[in-house]
Amino acid sequence: MPRRRGLSLALPALLALVLAPAAQAAGNVDCKLHFNLSGWSAFYKTAKGNGTITCDDGSSLPVRISAKGGGITFGKSTIENGTGEFSGVHNIRETLGTYAAAEAHAGAVKSSKAQVMTKGEVSLALAGTGKGWDLGVAFGNFVIEPR
């Protein structure tokens, strides 16, 4: 009889070890950012905008966006209907915060922008097209806050 008891205690522990990685992988949430952003630069770059983060778990969050940095950059631009895709997210709240950003850009009248930035384990890939003119290289941060 004692042998059966040992087996019955070991089986749940073994199942927990086998199923733990699958449960952790299932915890990832697919989140996207839809945004509008406008700004200017003359050595110092600044931009502000609004957006909404939506996740495949049904959560949604209206956000305020700001970007600041410096470098060799000049211009004025607006991005409308931009998109972003987060990776490494387990909860919509993990998308909030300050991301490190670096970019090279050039455009006139209609310009396109693609950029990848990180905040610890979370990454954000942005893409968008807009209006304006810009030229340069800039380093700084991209901040997402709740509205």
Side-chain angles (χ1 to χ4, degrees):
M1 201 66 144
R3 183 178 176 138
R4 256 189 182 172
R5 184 172 179 212
L7 183 60
S8 65
L9 292 176
L11 188 57
L14 181 61
L15 283 173
L17 285 174
V18 170
L19 297 177
Q24 187 177 14
N28 285 339
V29 178
D30 184 26
C31 296
K32 298 193 182 321
L33 170 66
H34 298 275
F35 67 97
N36 295 318
L37 188 68
S38 63
W40 57 269
S41 62
F43 292 107
Y44 181 79
K45 180 177 183 172
T46 184
K48 292 183 179 182
N50 291 306
T52 302
I53 298 172
T54 55
C55 299
D56 64 357
D57 66 357
S59 57
S60 178
L61 184 64
V63 294
R64 183 174 48 243
I65 300 166
S66 63
K68 294 181 182 177
I72 304 169
T73 177
F74 300 96
K76 181 178 179 180
S77 61
T78 300
I79 296 176
E80 296 172 352
N81 300 315
T83 60
E85 190 166 328
F86 295 92
S87 61
V89 176
H90 295 91
N91 179 305
I92 194 168
R93 291 282 175 191
E94 291 178 352
T95 62
L96 301 174
T98 302
Y99 292 78
E103 67 176 301
H105 52 269
V109 184
K110 285 194 171 228
S111 61
S112 295
K113 181 180 250 183
Q115 186 173 10
V116 177
M117 53 193 80
T118 61
K119 175 186 73 110
E121 298 290 317
V122 177
S123 295
L124 172 59
L126 294 177
T129 57
K131 302 174 199 166
W133 58 274
D134 52 2
L135 176 66
V137 177
F139 299 91
N141 61 34
F142 187 85
V143 180
I144 302 175
E145 303 172 303
R147 248 191 295 162

